[in-house]
Amino acid sequence: MTSQPNSSALSGFRILVAKNVRHFLEARGFEFVRTKPAGAAPARAGLIRPGGQAAARLPAAAPDPQRFFSVELEARPGINHLRFALELLVREAVALGRTPVAFKPRFDPRHNLGHDLDTDWERYIDLEQVALHPPGGGEPLRLRLLPSTARASLAPLATAWFERRHVVSAAENRRWDFVLRCNRTGLEVAGVHDAASGLPGYVVKFAPSAQVLALAQAVVDELGDYCAMHVRRDDMLGLTEQYPHLDADTRPERMLATLAPHLPPGSRLYVMTNERQPGYFDPLRRVYDLRQFSDFAPLRALLEGPAPDNFLLFEVEKLLFERAALQVHTFTHPEGGRRIALCRDKGWA
């Protein structure tokens, strides 16, 4: 009696073979590509050997409203990671002279109390007010970022899906109405985003959405005069090689010592944090008029119910932090900038 091959083992073997074939072809200068002509024709996979002059230009004018660019991601990180990927998308789209089309954000549920979230960028940023600032100052280019839902209306266009490291050539940029980059991680690609096609040095700025602005303004109106402090602990405490002093420097008694020269007793202090231990900030409450999101019904509502949105809360709290009379950061500025920080270690939070 002949035994049947294990289906999982066979599947694993096929994946291994496919990876080896891909590596073999890539080592010889080939790349995989999917293309679809205009109309309802199906997309087809193929091989190309990249070449020709790269398509890149400075954003001297608004992007072509009839030609589009987007990316496809597989990563499911937090909102800052995906926001950075969106910035890269905008920069490359403008460099190619194309209208940027947002990807649908797929967040890591671990950053959202374990809940999956079906959402889109319109909830967090204003897609109509995207600004691209040139290096060295000057008037920014203002443009519109199309929502991910626009992808359905673009389906009939002549479309090309390129691999992560592919540099779009001038000929390819002329040929295809809709170009997509399959950037699985969403991170910066050497030779693309640090080259002319990525407009290095240009800074993308997103304006908060109307919902974020309204929620933040309601809390600001209730707070009055206040200072803000960001205390990032939970997910960072395990990174002891990178942040060896974080735990000790963000203990309540150490935070009080750091705050004392800058903040008189009785000052109103809004604390944004991912520390989950109940009562952790009680020693600070005995010195300051301490507030957190749980003290405001509109912010509490963001995490209550069957569909919490911790990312929306983060965007609102970020705006609260920016508007505070005094800001206290978790980490020392990584590039030597001056700011009040709780921790001796360097970081952006």
Side-chain angles (χ1 to χ4, degrees):
M1 184 175 180
T2 304
S3 61
Q4 295 296 319
N6 182 281
S7 59
S8 61
L10 186 58
S11 175
F13 176 75
R14 288 172 176 165
I15 292 174
L16 180 61
V17 169
K19 286 184 176 179
N20 287 336
V21 169
R22 175 180 286 272
H23 291 158
F24 176 84
L25 292 170
E26 289 177 348
R28 282 150 183 80
F30 290 96
E31 292 180 1
F32 286 90
V33 64
R34 279 194 301 143
T35 58
K36 186 193 78 63
R44 293 184 176 183
L47 286 173
I48 58 172
R49 188 188 290 272
Q53 182 180 0
R57 66 174 181 83
L58 298 181
D64 187 337
Q66 302 301 320
R67 301 173 74 78
F68 307 91
F69 177 83
S70 190
V71 300
E72 293 185 345
L73 278 73
E74 293 178 4
R76 300 190 64 182
I79 194 167
N80 282 337
H81 182 135
L82 290 181
R83 181 191 287 269
F84 179 62
L86 199 63
E87 292 174 8
L88 295 177
L89 184 159
V90 170
R91 282 167 44 192
E92 187 171 5
V94 172
L96 295 172
R98 295 172 172 270
T99 297
V101 182
F103 55 85
K104 185 175 178 64
R106 298 175 64 247
F107 295 118
D108 187 340
R110 291 176 297 178
H111 296 295
N112 194 44
L113 309 179
H115 291 265
D116 270 317
L117 186 63
D118 184 11
T119 186
D120 225 318
W121 283 110
E122 297 95 309
R123 184 179 292 183
Y124 312 103
I125 63 176
D126 187 344
L127 301 186
E128 301 288 336
Q129 298 189 56
V130 180
L132 184 64
H133 294 257
E139 189 65 23
L141 174 69
R142 303 190 183 279
L143 64 151
R144 179 191 182 202
L145 176 60
L146 295 186
S148 64
T149 51
R151 287 278 299 270
S153 64
L154 304 179
L157 298 181
T159 305
W161 290 260
F162 293 112
E163 288 290 305
R164 183 172 185 265
R165 295 181 176 84
H166 182 78
V167 177
V168 179
S169 71
E172 291 166 339
N173 199 36
R174 289 191 299 268
R175 179 177 180 182
W176 302 106
D177 299 320
F178 190 14
V179 170
L180 295 103
R181 179 176 301 284
C182 301
N183 187 1
R184 296 171 181 83
T185 66
L187 298 176
E188 192 168 12
V189 181
V192 175
H193 301 117
D194 58 353
S197 57
L199 299 181
Y202 284 75
V203 177
V204 179
K205 292 188 177 180
F206 300 116
S209 69
Q211 185 176 9
V212 169
L213 288 171
L215 286 167
Q217 189 60 53
V219 175
V220 168
D221 291 342
E222 190 172 340
L223 279 171
D225 294 329
Y226 72 100
C227 301
M229 181 170 70
H230 184 195
V231 186
R232 187 166 181 181
R233 282 176 53 84
D234 184 54
D235 61 326
M236 293 290 195
L237 291 178
L239 305 177
T240 53
E241 289 190 9
Q242 188 173 359
Y243 308 115
H245 304 100
L246 178 60
D247 189 19
D249 287 352
T250 54
R251 295 281 179 175
E253 62 278 4
R254 186 67 67 85
M255 288 191 287
L256 284 169
T258 301
L259 291 171
H262 309 283
L263 205 59
S267 299
R268 183 160 294 169
L269 178 64
Y270 185 92
V271 176
M272 55 183 295
T273 183
N274 62 352
E275 171 57 53
R276 299 184 182 184
Q277 181 180 332
Y280 187 81
F281 293 96
D282 284 353
L284 278 74
R285 291 185 186 277
R286 292 192 283 269
V287 179
Y288 299 108
D289 182 9
L290 192 142
R291 307 294 176 89
Q292 292 181 264
F293 82 91
S294 55
D295 296 310
F296 303 92
L299 301 189
R300 283 201 311 273
L302 299 180
L303 299 189
E304 295 173 345
D309 191 345
N310 194 40
F311 304 105
L312 183 55
L313 175 61
F314 175 77
E315 291 296 302
V316 174
E317 288 198 313
K318 188 167 62 174
L319 199 53
L320 294 176
F321 188 84
E322 292 172 0
R323 292 184 177 183
L326 179 77
Q327 296 99 13
V328 180
H329 298 258
T330 302
F331 297 111
T332 299
H333 198 290
E335 296 178 349
R338 298 186 63 182
R339 67 185 189 186
I340 303 172
L342 299 171
C343 183
R344 289 163 281 179
D345 305 322
K346 295 180 179 181
W348 287 112

